[in-house]
Amino acid sequence: MEIIQKLLDPENNLTIYTVTGEVTVQDIIQKVKAFYAREPTQLVLWDLTEANLSKIPSEDIIQIIYVIKKLSTSRKGEKTAMVFSSKFGYGLGRMFTAFSEMEETGIEYGSFHSVKEAKQWLGIGD
C-alpha cells in the first residue's frame, strides 16, 4: 500500500490525500507535482492523522512551498486543509501556512485537529 493515498471527490471539487506511515518531504513533493500535472481541484484535504512526520525537518517545509508556488498558478485563491493528530504535526502545519503566506502562494491553508473541522472550513459536508 502506498504511503499517500489519493481520493477524488468531483462533486465537491475536492482531492483528499490520506497519509499513513512514515512520510518524507520528497513523498509529498511527488504527490504535489502529480496533482498540478493534471487538472487540480479547487479544494484539497491532507489527512495526516496517521502519518509519521519524524522524517520531515521543519527547515525542509519550504521546499514543498517552492514547488507549489512554481506550479500553482491555476489554484490562486483556493484552499487546502491539513489535519494532524499530534502537536508536532499541527505545529508543522502552522509553520507551513506561515511560510506559504510569506512566499505569497495565493493559496489559503488551514491546520486542524479533525477532518470534520477541516471540511467545515473548506465549506463542504461530511
Side-chain angles (χ1 to χ4, degrees):
M1 182 167 102
E2 280 191 65
I3 295 168
I4 304 174
Q5 297 288 318
K6 176 182 167 183
L7 174 68
L8 285 175
D9 178 355
E11 183 178 317
N12 289 304
N13 199 12
L14 170 70
T15 302
I16 300 171
Y17 291 101
T18 304
V19 185
T20 53
E22 193 171 276
V23 65
T24 66
V25 166
Q26 290 308 313
D27 294 328
I28 294 170
I29 287 174
Q30 179 184 14
K31 291 297 180 181
V32 167
K33 286 181 176 178
F35 174 78
Y36 285 107
R38 294 167 184 77
E39 291 185 35
T41 57
Q42 182 181 22
L43 305 173
V44 176
L45 189 151
W46 282 85
D47 181 351
L48 297 137
T49 56
E50 298 294 322
N52 176 346
L53 303 171
S54 64
K55 296 284 185 187
I56 299 183
S58 57
E59 61 270 13
D60 288 356
I61 288 181
I62 197 74
Q63 292 178 33
I64 301 167
I65 293 166
Y66 289 151
V67 170
I68 291 169
K69 186 175 179 179
K70 180 179 175 184
L71 300 174
S72 69
T73 56
S74 63
R75 286 196 72 226
K76 296 288 185 208
E78 308 308 330
K79 295 172 110 177
T80 296
M82 301 168 286
V83 183
F84 304 95
S85 58
S86 71
K87 289 180 182 180
F88 174 75
Y90 187 79
L92 281 178
R94 301 283 293 168
M95 186 182 303
F96 183 91
T97 299
F99 285 158
S100 174
E101 289 171 2
M102 288 188 296
E103 289 296 320
E104 300 178 352
T105 63
I107 299 169
E108 189 176 355
Y109 290 92
S111 295
F112 303 92
H113 295 290
S114 74
V115 171
K116 182 178 181 178
E117 276 182 295
K119 285 185 173 183
Q120 287 173 341
W121 180 77
L122 290 169
I124 58 175
D126 289 332

